[in-house]
Amino acid sequence: MMIKINSRLPDVGTSIFAVMSRMAQQYEAINLSQGFPDFKVSEKLIELIHQQMKAGHNQYAPMPGVPSLRKTIAEVIHQTYAHQVDPEMDITITAGGTEAIFATITGLVSPGDEVILFDPSYDCYDPAIRLNGGIPVPINLLPPGFAIDWELVKSKITNRTRMIMINTPQNPSGAVLTESDLRILEEIVTKYGILVLSDEVYERIIFDQKVHQSVLRFPGLAAHSVAIFSFGKTFHATGWKVGYAVAPGEISKEIRKAHQFITFSVNTPVQLALAEYMTHPEHYLGLSKFYQEKRDFFLGQIKGSSFQPMTCYGSYFQLLSYKGVSSKADVEMAEWLTKEHKLASIPVSVFYKDKTDNQLLRFCFAKGEETLVKAGEILNRF
Ligand code: GLN
């Protein structure tokens, strides 16, 4: 008998990041689509990993992560957000931010639970909820500001609402949440007993004197939240896939139950090396300045273009509106730019459940100047 495949995600294809990166390669286009830095990882950090490997630290790490790394993270969180966490119980090292998100949802969302999320949302959120039987409740945020209407959020809360997912600085919009946003969220989740999944992987990339508003800064919120971070973004090493989830012990316990069966543990030498490397704040404190200069350099290159930048306060993504250039749909526009003009980007409609098309493309500016100059030359044709 033929096998009948019942897809759990019949409407999902290959991730847009893989699709566009592949198209960029195929057409030899400059790749500003998938977000990853093309800067070198620090020699020092590579040396530390090498040392750990040579010293024989090549077997399984403890399931929740190497103790020295969790201790360092707890110290950094205390210094950065004035929040005390227990490294033993509250921190779980994961295979990147994506696994942290998946383990959190798998551990804490039950079939039939509703999860409020804000579109445009990162592509793994909705499938992670649905694979676990949860019901995504998307709320659209719109340009130019992508601000959250909290009255609308309140109107979506039901007795099945289990979780609200936020992302600041936000991928793909580059918007950031304000202190007032977080205070309102705190009021809501403490009133209704709702969990927050806060994706903060771009915590260190924030511009124009804005301050990153981590859920960990707000005690009431921290008590209800899982905050998710990534070393890949902070240390130019997205390929290592190491991140972590921070949550009160009772919540972390459930995340770990899922994590132990998804990956069990994360590679040992990288964790040990990061534990040491991260004890020096100069290794991560300059990142906002570095990326703000990148953003401004990129924007400087496209001053004469009809591609219009939206305000970007954080992350390494710049949205450009092409309303003044073409009336094509954004997916078509991204393909056309890649094939005909050799510049790859990401169409923003793919981050909306209802495929809202605001004629925006996302460009990653985590690239060397030469690449940004070349991309600018292409955008200046319009
Ligand atoms: N976070 C990266 C982006 O937004 C992509 C990571 C991936 O390819 N899954 O472009």
Side-chain angles (χ1 to χ4, degrees):
M1 204 154 94
M2 287 274 285
I3 293 176
K4 185 167 177 311
I5 294 173
N6 276 331
S7 174
R8 303 278 313 278
L9 299 170
D11 55 328
V12 170
T14 305
S15 130
I16 186 71
F17 309 118
V19 170
M20 292 311 297
S21 267
R22 193 157 160 250
M23 198 182 291
Q25 217 169 25
Q26 198 179 347
Y27 289 89
E28 295 179 350
I30 296 171
N31 189 6
L32 303 193
S33 64
Q34 188 180 31
F36 60 90
D38 71 355
F39 317 115
K40 283 209 171 121
V41 171
S42 135
E43 282 298 326
K44 170 103 203 307
L45 181 50
I46 289 177
E47 192 46 47
L48 286 171
I49 296 171
H50 197 188
Q51 278 169 18
Q52 296 296 345
M53 285 182 164
K54 284 200 291 194
H57 299 295
N58 297 303
Q59 305 309 325
Y60 296 126
M63 181 275 279
V66 160
S68 60
L69 179 56
R70 287 186 278 135
K71 185 168 162 279
T72 307
I73 290 172
E75 284 161 12
V76 172
I77 287 174
H78 189 240
Q79 282 155 19
T80 314
Y81 303 121
H83 177 63
Q84 201 87 43
V85 293
D86 173 0
E88 192 50 48
M89 307 304 289
D90 303 353
I91 297 170
T92 307
I93 312 295
T94 57
T98 301
E99 196 240 324
I101 291 166
F102 198 81
T104 298
I105 293 173
T106 305
L108 294 153
V109 171
S110 301
D113 283 352
E114 292 174 3
V115 178
I116 294 176
L117 69 166
F118 300 99
D119 283 354
S121 59
Y122 189 58
D123 74 338
C124 75
Y125 294 2
D126 168 278
I129 298 164
R130 288 192 292 138
L131 282 172
N132 285 292
I135 301 163
V137 180
I139 293 178
N140 282 3
L141 306 182
L142 295 172
F146 296 92
I148 295 177
D149 173 350
W150 289 106
E151 288 309 311
L152 181 60
V153 176
K154 286 181 199 164
S155 76
K156 299 276 183 186
I157 292 173
T158 72
N159 55 12
R160 294 198 305 184
T161 307
R162 178 76 179 133
M163 179 184 279
I164 299 177
M165 293 176 82
I166 58 169
N167 175 209
T168 184
Q170 214 246 3
N171 177 10
S173 71
V176 298
L177 294 179
T178 63
E179 184 181 339
S180 134
D181 285 317
L182 285 251
R183 292 216 182 279
I184 299 170
L185 179 64
E186 184 171 42
E187 221 179 273
I188 295 175
V189 298
T190 47
K191 178 167 172 200
Y192 295 100
I194 295 171
L195 283 165
V196 174
L197 185 161
S198 183
D199 176 351
E200 304 184 15
V201 298
Y202 298 100
E203 63 168 337
R204 302 272 170 208
I205 310 179
I206 184 155
F207 313 134
D208 305 329
Q209 275 82 53
K210 301 267 177 210
V211 172
H212 173 57
Q213 297 298 341
S214 173
V215 288
L216 302 179
R217 288 185 192 277
F218 304 83
L221 205 42
H224 286 72
S225 298
V226 182
I228 289 171
F229 303 93
S230 156
F231 291 109
K233 278 73 180 175
T234 304
F235 298 122
H236 306 325
T238 59
W240 293 352
K241 296 295 297 176
V242 186
Y244 52 101
V246 181
E250 285 299 293
I251 298 176
S252 289
K253 204 165 111 192
E254 302 306 318
I255 298 172
R256 290 175 181 186
K257 286 183 193 172
H259 164 72
Q260 68 184 340
F261 299 125
I262 299 172
T263 58
F264 182 68
S265 66
V266 174
N267 85 75
T268 311
V270 169
Q271 289 193 62
L272 288 168
L274 283 168
E276 191 172 333
Y277 193 72
M278 229 186 148
T279 53
H280 303 277
E282 69 273 19
H283 290 151
Y284 53 81
L285 284 185
L287 211 61
S288 289
K289 180 172 179 290
F290 174 82
Y291 274 118
Q292 183 167 322
E293 283 167 12
K294 285 278 161 209
R295 178 199 65 178
D296 293 343
F297 183 82
F298 181 52
L299 291 178
Q301 297 306 300
I302 59 166
K303 265 215 168 84
S305 169
S306 299
F307 278 88
Q308 280 302 313
M310 313 300 291
T311 309
C312 163
Y313 286 126
S315 82
Y316 42 51
F317 301 112
Q318 176 66 55
L319 295 189
L320 298 179
S321 163
Y322 62 88
K323 277 208 173 94
V325 176
S326 166
S327 56
K328 284 191 203 325
D330 67 352
V331 172
E332 201 189 327
M333 183 69 180
E335 282 179 20
W336 179 76
L337 257 192
T338 310
K339 292 178 183 171
E340 303 297 330
H341 292 275
K342 313 274 177 232
L343 177 60
S345 58
I346 300 282
V348 174
S349 68
V350 303
F351 299 100
Y352 285 96
K353 184 79 170 171
D354 63 6
K355 304 295 168 223
T356 294
D357 184 354
N358 294 301
Q359 296 193 283
L360 294 170
L361 297 177
R362 190 198 79 172
F363 294 83
C364 172
F365 55 79
K367 307 291 171 193
E369 291 199 347
E370 203 185 319
T371 305
L372 297 178
V373 168
K374 282 191 197 147
E377 277 165 14
I378 296 169
L379 293 167
N380 279 328
R381 291 176 194 162
F382 305 94

